[in-house]
Amino acid sequence: MALTNPRYLALVLKKVLRDLRQGWLSFGACVAMLALSVSLFLAFNSAAYSLKRSTESNYQKLHFLDFTLLVSNISQSALSRVSQIPGVASVQGRATSSIKVLLDPPSVPEFRSRSVDGLLIGLPFDRRPEVNDVYVEKGRYLSQARGEALLEARFAKHHNFQLGDSIRVSTFNGERRFSVVGLVSSPEYVWMATNPFDPRPMDKRFGVVFVSDSDAFSALGGSFYNEIHVRVAEGEDAESVQTVAEERMSPYLRRSSISREQQPSHALVLRDERAFQGLAAFFPVVFLTLSSVTLFSTLWQLVSRQRRQIGILMSQGCSPFDLLSHYLILGLIVGCVGTVLGVLIGVPLGHLATKFYTRTLGLPFVEIITPVTSLALIVLLALGLSFLAAWTATNRVLKLDPIKALRSEFKEGWAPRSETLLDRFLPTRLKFGLRNLLRNPGRTILSILGIAVSVAQIVMTLAIFDSQNETLGYYFSSVHRYDFEVQMDHVTGATSLPHVASWPETESVEYCLRRPATLVFNGQEVRTNVWGLEPKNELLRLYNKRGERVYVSSEPFLFMGPVQMERLGVQPGDAVTLSLNRNNADAPVFRFSIAGALHEPLANPPKLDLALLQQISEKSEEVPPGGINTLLVKAKPGMAEALQARLDAEEQFRRYSSPAETRDEVESLLRMLNASKSLILAFTTIFALVVLLGTTTMNVLERSREFATLSCLGVSDTKLASLLLIETVILWFFGFLLGLPAGIALGTEMMNSFQSQLLQLDLSLGLSNVFTTAVVSLLVCVAALLNGLLKLRSLPLTAATQDRFE
């Protein structure tokens, strides 16, 4: 007989269908696990690919820059020096100015209005910019040379700006008002951030206002550009063109040029894409491997149960290859069904994930694509692993002796045949469970791995949540103990400020000085801010890693957290130079030693003694002696809102923020990571349930004669159920022991892949969550056992105890 014979092929397919029907639950578990693996792979890969394509589409349609030249006051004619460089596709000069966006109505004077930082950007009103165009989501583009503005859409939404509203901005030349004619998104702010080392979303606290070039020139006080944005022709080397442009424009440069990869928004998008791609590869591969092992175990047991059928067919002339082809077809059918279901689930799931991420980033152009290469890869991988599992499980048919197959059983694993030391001390029920687990070590290992994967995922998720909550709780309760950080535009003497400490709403006040600074170590330059704190600071406490209080010193020590130290590449004891006046090459330089690292999970400015920073500021800038520009204010219990109203009414206090706002931004940053974790956790829980459901049901079916015999001998169903429950608890115990450290290691690796130069989390897992993990994973195991118990309850004793074919 051969598969080319239609009659024989029909018989083979008939037997395949019979085997599938009889073992529908075990094979159904294989199909479900394979479908989950394929769908998870497709969902993550499709989302990662679509996110990348959507970002590139926005960059292409809106002519995103390849690099930026930061220049000092150049005219339109000077742009030709860049446009004539070979390889340059287009050049756009831009006038930009730092501003304060006033949030209160025009009836509130400028000096009393609430404000947030922002940027005024000039655009041509009579044509669209050739580099860094904007997408108008509502309204229209600029059409007048004066008085119109486009507002970044996310900022407008948070602060309720509508088309036709008047927006007020404060520049160094005074207040200016514009009519909002459009709400837009820009390729420069896909990720709303201005610092590649600070990925916190800034759409609430930073306003980008696009106006005509004429209005931007007026705000700057002259008709000149301070930025040049360049796009490189397709196929040209952007880095080489950037080098030539720097050389040609060197007399005008005020700072080093910025490549696309260094642009804050794009740098953060790239970092997020890399982390997302890591998730898209690791977890689906783990699940797919376990799916293949499950299919192998299922087919292995099927061949073992059908040994007599195989012996009879071989003795009647059926070749080993024909028999092998039957089981290979069975494995491929399972692989095909699981793959098809996985594709049907994974493609729409990938679309949903893409919409979530692109909506979070605010991309106007979205391309949702399931990559053909990923689809082909996962289909080939799933079918290939299914075929490999079927071949490995059934190729022993080729070596099978028909006579031995008819008269003897295969030896499925190992079980002790003589009394051991454990047999003397273990109770009978526990010995019964261990014996059955050792009888089929392959299935036992598979079950333990399924439990371990589930435990590891639960541990990983709970540990990361624990770490986030503990870190944020520490940072915003133990370190930042104030309610409001009040900032002033200029350094001023403490005696000229309102006496906030005497207000009835105030519990305590501390004075600080915050100055922009440049730190240099071994040629590495970092532009940051430095904080001067009072020696016995209580509202902004400093701690080391051991939890001990740290106090600033009058000695020249600079106190930094690990994030800032890593960014600068320094260790405690290293000497760095500090200068305050960034725009003056002749500004005095001061040497500081790096103190022991602070325990600061979030990037925060370096600190030093307030009096020391005041002295440095007096030597570097025109500031009053003993000047300050920041107040940390703590309200009395229940008086925070009243204190906030008092700060609003105070003319000298134009801006203030609270630790609660910063915490909201950090939690918003973590939201995408948590969404990925939740999706993986849901898949893992279902996956573990399916693994255990299949293995426990297979266990009961294989041992039906044994359980029926015990029932005939008077063993109650309750006692039989307890024996199965003990086996399940043993499996859970070993799976838990394996999954707990694996989950901690997995959580550490996942956090390391996500952490940036803003946020550093130390993985922590509380005992309560260890207990929660144990209970949840045990419930999953017990839930998987229920179907086996139902099979046991409905077991036909007479038929089960007879000698029959499977």
Side-chain angles (χ1 to χ4, degrees), residues 559-781:
F559 296 83
M560 307 173 70
V563 177
Q564 291 282 6
M565 292 177 68
E566 180 181 347
R567 184 179 169 193
L568 189 58
V570 297
Q571 297 293 330
D574 288 341
V576 301
T577 60
L578 180 150
S579 59
L580 295 187
N581 198 328
R582 295 176 178 174
N583 298 322
N584 184 2
D586 299 324
V589 175
F590 305 90
R591 293 182 63 83
F592 281 83
S593 294
I594 301 297
L598 300 175
H599 181 33
E600 287 188 337
L602 274 69
N604 222 30
K607 285 91 175 171
L608 65 157
D609 180 68
L610 174 60
L612 189 57
L613 183 57
Q614 288 171 339
Q615 295 172 14
I616 294 174
S617 298
E618 293 170 25
K619 296 177 181 179
S620 305
E621 306 169 300
E622 295 182 2
V623 297
I628 61 164
N629 61 358
T630 304
L631 275 69
L632 305 180
V633 186
K634 184 175 181 62
K636 291 180 179 178
M639 302 294 288
E641 292 186 4
L643 179 59
Q644 182 176 358
R646 188 78 177 262
L647 292 172
D648 284 336
E650 184 55 54
E651 296 180 1
Q652 288 183 263
F653 300 153
R654 291 181 54 187
R655 288 180 299 145
Y656 61 85
S657 60
S658 69
E661 294 174 353
T662 305
R663 181 165 187 161
D664 288 342
E665 292 172 354
V666 175
E667 289 176 344
S668 176
L669 173 65
L670 295 171
R671 193 169 295 128
M672 285 198 290
L673 172 66
N674 293 338
S676 302
K677 289 203 311 287
S678 300
L679 180 62
I680 292 171
L681 178 62
F683 268 71
T684 305
T685 303
I686 297 172
F687 191 90
L689 184 61
V690 170
V691 170
L692 294 170
L693 186 64
T695 54
T696 53
T697 304
M698 188 189 305
N699 181 29
V700 172
L701 292 176
E702 283 182 2
R703 295 160 59 193
S704 59
R705 185 181 303 167
E706 177 184 351
F707 288 127
T709 303
L710 290 173
S711 295
C712 291
L713 293 174
V715 179
S716 65
D717 288 347
T718 303
K719 194 167 185 178
L720 289 176
S722 68
L723 293 175
L724 284 174
L725 182 60
I726 289 173
E727 290 182 32
T728 302
V729 171
I730 293 173
L731 289 174
W732 164 81
F733 176 75
F734 286 106
F736 184 79
L737 289 183
L738 183 63
L740 188 61
I744 293 174
L746 191 61
T748 302
E749 183 63 27
M750 191 170 183
M751 284 191 356
N752 289 339
S753 68
F754 179 79
Q755 289 179 150
S756 63
Q757 289 181 305
L758 164 76
L759 183 65
Q760 298 287 327
L761 300 177
D762 294 325
L763 196 73
S764 63
L765 183 66
L767 290 177
S768 61
N769 279 333
V770 173
F771 177 77
T772 300
T773 303
V775 171
V776 171
S777 58
L778 183 58
L779 289 176
V780 170
C781 295

Side-chain angles (χ1 to χ4, degrees), residues 37-55:
S37 305
V38 171
S39 62
L40 190 63
F41 179 90
L42 279 179
F44 275 109
N45 275 274
S46 176
Y49 183 78
S50 297
L51 179 61
K52 184 177 181 179
R53 284 293 302 268
S54 297
T55 305

Side-chain angles (χ1 to χ4, degrees), residues 89-122:
S90 53
V91 177
Q92 184 71 49
R94 227 168 56 167
T96 64
S97 176
S98 296
I99 58 172
K100 303 293 182 186
V101 180
L102 306 180
L103 301 178
D104 288 322
S107 57
V108 180
E110 176 188 353
F111 62 86
R112 295 188 60 181
S113 175
R114 294 174 297 117
S115 66
V116 295
D117 292 331
L119 186 67
L120 194 72
I121 298 177

Side-chain angles (χ1 to χ4, degrees), residues 166-293:
S166 176
I167 185 170
R168 302 192 299 159
V169 302
S170 175
T171 70
F172 76 95
N173 281 331
E175 179 184 336
R176 297 178 184 274
R177 300 183 184 183
F178 304 96
S179 175
V180 178
V181 297
L183 305 181
V184 302
S185 57
S186 166
E188 295 175 88
Y189 299 101
V190 170
W191 194 293
M192 190 62 193
T194 58
N195 185 346
F197 304 111
D198 187 352
R200 289 177 297 167
M202 297 183 64
D203 37 358
K204 291 182 182 178
R205 55 188 173 93
F206 191 82
V208 182
V209 183
F210 299 91
V211 297
S212 68
D213 281 334
S214 300
D215 282 329
F217 290 151
S218 177
L220 280 175
S223 298
F224 52 81
Y225 298 117
N226 53 15
E227 292 181 5
I228 302 176
H229 293 184
V230 182
R231 287 181 64 234
V232 176
E234 187 175 353
E236 297 290 338
D237 183 13
E239 187 174 349
S240 300
V241 175
Q242 182 177 347
T243 301
V244 175
E246 283 182 331
E247 293 174 354
R248 187 166 295 190
M249 300 299 292
S250 58
Y252 305 99
L253 291 180
R254 54 186 169 90
R255 275 180 54 192
S256 300
S257 61
I258 302 173
S259 66
R260 175 186 283 199
E261 288 70 23
Q262 295 171 320
Q263 199 268 346
S265 171
H266 184 60
L268 292 170
V269 168
L270 286 178
R271 185 219 63 183
D272 201 58
E273 283 180 358
R274 286 192 293 267
F276 201 28
Q277 288 168 354
L279 292 177
F282 179 77
F283 291 102
V285 169
V286 171
F287 291 171
L288 196 59
T289 303
L290 284 176
S291 301
S292 304
V293 174

Side-chain angles (χ1 to χ4, degrees), residues 148-439:
E148 294 184 342
L150 307 174
L151 195 57
E152 206 283 325
R154 285 166 290 182
F155 177 83
K157 180 179 178 181
H158 280 299
H159 295 283
N160 199 30
F161 281 102
Q162 305 293 332
L163 296 178
D165 288 349
S166 176
I167 185 170
R168 302 192 299 159
V169 302
S170 175
T171 70
F172 76 95
N173 281 331
E175 179 184 336
R176 297 178 184 274
R177 300 183 184 183
F178 304 96
S179 175
V180 178
V181 297
L183 305 181
V184 302
S185 57
S186 166
E188 295 175 88
Y189 299 101
V190 170
W191 194 293
M192 190 62 193
T194 58
N195 185 346
F197 304 111
D198 187 352
R200 289 177 297 167
M202 297 183 64
D203 37 358
K204 291 182 182 178
R205 55 188 173 93
F206 191 82
V208 182
V209 183
F210 299 91
V211 297
S212 68
D213 281 334
S214 300
D215 282 329
F217 290 151
S218 177
L220 280 175
S223 298
F224 52 81
Y225 298 117
N226 53 15
E227 292 181 5
I228 302 176
H229 293 184
V230 182
R231 287 181 64 234
V232 176
E234 187 175 353
E236 297 290 338
D237 183 13
E239 187 174 349
S240 300
V241 175
Q242 182 177 347
T243 301
V244 175
E246 283 182 331
E247 293 174 354
R248 187 166 295 190
M249 300 299 292
S250 58
Y252 305 99
L253 291 180
R254 54 186 169 90
R255 275 180 54 192
S256 300
S257 61
I258 302 173
S259 66
R260 175 186 283 199
E261 288 70 23
Q262 295 171 320
Q263 199 268 346
S265 171
H266 184 60
L268 292 170
V269 168
L270 286 178
R271 185 219 63 183
D272 201 58
E273 283 180 358
R274 286 192 293 267
F276 201 28
Q277 288 168 354
L279 292 177
F282 179 77
F283 291 102
V285 169
V286 171
F287 291 171
L288 196 59
T289 303
L290 284 176
S291 301
S292 304
V293 174
T294 304
L295 180 58
F296 163 82
S297 178
T298 303
L299 289 173
W300 177 280
Q301 299 305 319
L302 180 64
V303 172
S304 300
R305 293 200 308 270
Q306 295 183 353
R307 63 191 177 278
R308 294 188 178 182
Q309 291 183 25
I310 292 172
I312 292 173
L313 290 172
M314 293 182 71
S315 65
Q316 291 180 347
C318 186
S319 71
F321 177 78
D322 289 336
L323 290 170
L324 178 62
S325 63
H326 157 257
Y327 295 104
L328 291 179
I329 291 173
L330 184 58
L332 285 175
I333 288 176
V334 171
C336 289
V337 174
T339 301
V340 170
L341 286 177
V343 171
L344 293 177
I345 297 172
V347 171
L349 190 61
H351 291 185
L352 290 175
T354 301
K355 290 178 181 178
F356 170 77
Y357 281 101
T358 53
R359 185 170 59 249
T360 301
L361 293 175
L363 293 175
F365 303 107
V366 179
E367 293 188 9
I368 301 179
I369 302 172
T370 300
V372 176
T373 53
S374 295
L375 182 59
L377 175 63
I378 192 60
V379 169
L380 292 175
L381 188 60
L383 294 179
L385 288 175
S386 298
F387 180 84
L388 181 63
W391 174 273
T392 307
T394 59
N395 69 346
R396 56 181 176 156
V397 172
L398 295 172
K399 304 175 182 179
L400 192 60
D401 187 331
I403 302 302
K404 291 183 179 180
L406 284 170
R407 73 180 183 184
S408 65
E409 297 182 359
F410 294 147
K411 295 178 180 179
E412 294 299 326
W414 171 88
R417 300 191 178 187
S418 59
E419 188 179 46
T420 65
L421 184 63
L422 291 177
D423 292 328
R424 299 177 184 177
F425 299 101
L426 291 178
T428 303
R429 293 190 181 189
L430 190 57
K431 285 191 292 185
F432 182 86
L434 288 173
R435 177 183 67 84
N436 290 314
L437 294 177
L438 292 172
R439 175 186 294 172

